[in-house]
Amino acid sequence: MDAVKVTDYPGSRSNETSDADQVNAKQKTVEASNARSQKSVEENRGGNREQRNAAPRNNGQASKRPIIGLFNYGGGMRGLLPAHFMQRIEDVTGLQMADMVDVFMGPSTGSILNAALNIPDPHNPTRPKFRARHMVRFYEREGAHIFPHDSFRALRSMIHDFNNRTLRLTQLERLFRHGHYEQANLGRSLRGMYGRHKISDTLKSIIIPVYNIDGPNGLGRGGRGAGAVPVPTSSLNSIVSPAQLQDMGRGGESLWLKNICFDGAQNVAPPQDADLFDAVMASTAAPTYFPCYSFKIKDHPDEPARKITGIDGSIFDNPCISYMGALRPHLPPDRDFIMIVFGTGNYNRAFCEEDWNRYGSLGVVDPNNDMPLINIFFYASESALNQSFHQELGDRLYVFNKSLFSGTFKRDYPSPDIDDASPENIRKLHNFFEMTLEENRKGFNEICELLVKNYDLSQSEPKDSKNSKGSRKGN
């Protein structure tokens, strides 16, 4: 498969043809690629299916339909990248993602996508309300409302930090609002999609990560009022037994808000009683961009509701951790698991010794230095687990991602900033998706075949009321 050159993308500086010619060339390339992918899918739905089914894994035990999981990374506006990937899959297969995927996972902007694609249609509750193309439009339309251009946000944040360290003037703190975006803008956009649906209402299994800074007992910091007692949000420095947790108290906690409903799932507890809207709002509360988000959940129907003060699930979650910590306990041993990962652009960077030593205590979190300490925090756990994760899943793992900092055509790459909703960056995000797709065309064709096969096999199984049949091009 020949890769598409950057000159096929409109707006490329190296292209000497007119904008109209660029657009036409790109459309023809996309149409040709879609046609090849669709032809491959249709061919493999026929004669090759018997060949694929003839070689089960796990010493002949995995004759049952595999379980397919989808992980969408966090990344704010860069959520357009997995949205474009899923739209292309739906275009090629003629199915919706909830028809083909068994488990949806991912934090932050990934949770926005996963939740929306599993909302039941009010006119046909067994079918999804939204397609992936609706989510592409959501980012393109709502992005500028959620992340309005604000030249003074960084200045407000700097003044707030200076005040917090020195003067501690309450009036100044309220005036400069910590440099956050208005959470209400995001809330209005998400409420329109999710309504009052509960986590238990999703059509397929879903896992939404949230970090609760208050901890399970609500032992967060008391504030600055008279008599307030500072309580750290994490009181544990090592792994301890459950009995020791009771004695020592607990700090912040990593939560997975789950609805596990795929056939054959093991160790399944009832879904937490919480609104889907609240779960996603908490999982998208990215530090320095949005304030934390508080809501109530019930961990069990017989237990009282408790308060969660949530921040972005990307703080701890990644494909390795979601699989090993949240999903693997539910997987039956007699079925294969296939995992598809859609990235939002990899921005992990290396830092040389001289730079690190000159940063100092503030330099390691300075955006002008690309926030090296924050970067390390986000990627450290993933890099630690990456090797064992790949070894366990092997060729059943499909990752579609690309570095935002290296490559031949870096000048046309999108911004790594999660809040850049400018038309130019939206254009670059689409181009970046096309580049990533063409670099991974073989894997893309394979997952389209796997997803269609998974759907076909699911139609031959007895249906329950929750995961009943889908239909092609019907919605």
Side-chain angles (χ1 to χ4, degrees):
M1 181 68 64
D2 294 332
V4 175
K5 297 180 181 179
V6 74
T7 51
D8 291 323
Y9 300 114
S12 170
R13 295 178 179 86
S14 61
N15 197 349
E16 298 178 356
T17 59
S18 67
D19 288 345
D21 289 339
Q22 294 173 10
V23 172
N24 290 335
K26 178 188 171 186
Q27 288 176 341
K28 290 178 181 179
T29 301
V30 170
E31 289 170 0
S33 297
N34 280 352
R36 290 193 294 270
S37 296
Q38 193 161 10
K39 181 180 179 181
S40 176
V41 168
E42 294 301 329
E43 287 176 349
N44 281 277
R45 294 191 80 188
N48 291 342
R49 184 182 306 163
E50 290 76 11
Q51 298 175 8
R52 294 198 307 273
N53 289 343
R57 299 178 188 271
N58 298 335
N59 298 321
Q61 295 181 2
S63 57
K64 297 183 179 180
R65 180 174 68 88
I67 297 167
I68 296 184
L70 172 65
F71 186 98
N72 288 316
Y73 269 92
M77 283 300 300
R78 301 203 310 272
L80 261 172
L81 296 172
H84 279 306
F85 263 108
M86 292 188 290
Q87 180 184 8
R88 189 64 57 84
I89 289 173
E90 291 187 348
D91 289 343
V92 168
T93 64
L95 296 164
Q96 292 177 254
M97 295 306 295
D99 295 329
M100 301 176 283
V101 174
D102 299 296
V103 188
F104 291 78
M105 299 168 281
S108 198
T109 200
S111 71
I112 292 178
L113 292 165
N114 296 336
L117 295 175
N118 280 280
I119 294 289
D121 187 334
H123 303 293
N124 186 0
T126 64
R127 302 293 301 132
K129 182 178 180 180
F130 298 111
R131 287 183 174 271
R133 69 168 183 263
H134 298 134
M135 300 312 299
V136 171
R137 293 172 188 167
F138 170 83
Y139 284 94
E140 294 174 345
R141 183 184 65 243
E142 299 295 327
H145 300 294
I146 298 170
F147 298 113
H149 179 69
D150 185 353
S151 301
F152 298 101
R153 193 178 81 87
L155 176 62
R156 291 201 316 272
S157 180
M158 182 180 67
I159 294 175
H160 165 264
D161 290 343
F162 176 77
N163 176 62
N164 194 43
R165 285 173 170 267
T166 56
L167 303 176
R168 299 199 174 192
L169 299 177
T170 304
Q171 295 85 350
L172 196 62
E173 180 179 328
R174 287 198 298 265
L175 177 64
F176 285 97
R177 298 194 336 270
H178 308 257
H180 292 143
Y181 288 104
E182 290 288 350
Q183 201 168 42
N185 294 336
L186 174 63
R188 281 189 290 269
S189 298
L190 296 185
R191 180 65 79 182
M193 284 198 299
Y194 304 144
R196 299 292 175 181
H197 281 289
K198 298 284 189 179
I199 293 174
S200 57
D201 293 335
T202 58
L203 292 172
K204 291 294 184 71
S205 299
I206 192 168
I207 299 173
I208 300 176
V210 174
Y211 190 82
N212 179 21
I213 60 175
D214 264 0
N217 300 314
L219 299 175
R221 190 177 182 90
R224 290 194 188 140
V229 179
V231 179
T233 57
S234 180
S235 58
L236 302 177
N237 295 318
S238 60
I239 298 175
V240 296
S241 69
Q244 289 174 309
L245 287 177
Q246 296 296 326
D247 293 337
M248 297 172 61
R250 293 180 66 178
E253 59 171 343
S254 301
L255 293 176
W256 281 293
L257 305 180
K258 304 181 184 180
N259 179 22
I260 303 297
C261 56
F262 59 83
D263 294 338
Q266 299 184 328
N267 307 310
V268 177
Q272 294 100 329
D273 184 2
D275 282 355
L276 198 57
F277 168 82
D278 288 331
V280 174
M281 284 292 289
S283 190
T284 56
T288 76
Y289 293 92
F290 294 106
C292 56
Y293 183 83
S294 296
F295 64 107
K296 295 263 184 94
I297 70 167
K298 292 179 70 175
D299 293 304
H300 191 275
D302 298 331
E303 295 179 0
R306 66 183 179 107
K307 178 185 174 184
I308 300 295
T309 303
I311 61 173
D312 197 328
S314 296
I315 293 295
F316 70 92
D317 195 46
N318 57 58
C320 313
I321 289 179
S322 265
Y323 168 69
M324 296 180 178
L327 180 61
R328 190 164 60 176
H330 303 299
L331 296 176
D334 60 343
R335 294 175 68 182
D336 278 340
F337 176 71
I338 298 169
M339 190 163 188
I340 301 167
V341 177
F342 290 134
T344 54
N346 187 298
Y347 59 97
N348 189 16
R349 303 190 69 170
F351 301 94
C352 68
E353 178 183 357
E354 293 77 11
D355 285 343
W356 182 263
N357 289 336
R358 71 175 173 80
Y359 284 149
S361 60
L362 293 181
V364 293
V365 293
D366 188 346
N368 291 325
N369 298 328
D370 294 322
M371 297 188 291
L373 187 60
I374 305 300
N375 184 284
I376 290 170
F377 281 158
F378 273 110
Y379 282 98
S381 61
E382 185 170 353
S383 64
L385 294 170
N386 194 49
Q387 183 175 357
S388 60
F389 179 57
H390 279 263
Q391 286 178 345
E392 179 159 337
L393 291 184
D395 61 359
R396 292 171 290 156
L397 174 64
Y398 295 84
V399 180
F400 298 85
N401 207 4
K402 180 179 172 69
S403 172
L404 290 165
F405 296 114
S406 62
T408 307
F409 307 110
K410 289 187 292 183
R411 62 186 181 184
D412 203 41
Y413 281 9
S415 168
D417 296 335
I418 70 171
D419 58 344
D420 190 342
S422 65
E424 174 68 5
N425 197 54
I426 287 175
R427 179 192 68 80
K428 288 184 174 182
L429 283 164
H430 185 264
N431 290 352
F432 193 77
F433 151 70
E434 296 286 0
M435 296 177 198
T436 308
L437 173 60
E438 288 307 318
E439 291 176 6
N440 297 274
R441 174 62 68 176
K442 182 177 182 292
F444 178 81
N445 290 343
E446 288 180 5
I447 65 165
C448 287
E449 295 167 15
L450 287 168
L451 288 167
V452 170
K453 178 185 175 183
N454 195 48
Y455 169 79
D456 289 342
L457 291 174
S458 71
Q459 298 309 290
S460 63
E461 296 177 344
K463 301 296 183 298
D464 58 27
S465 59
K466 182 134 185 113
N467 297 327
S468 58
K469 63 182 179 179
S471 61
R472 288 186 163 250
K473 297 291 187 184
N475 288 23

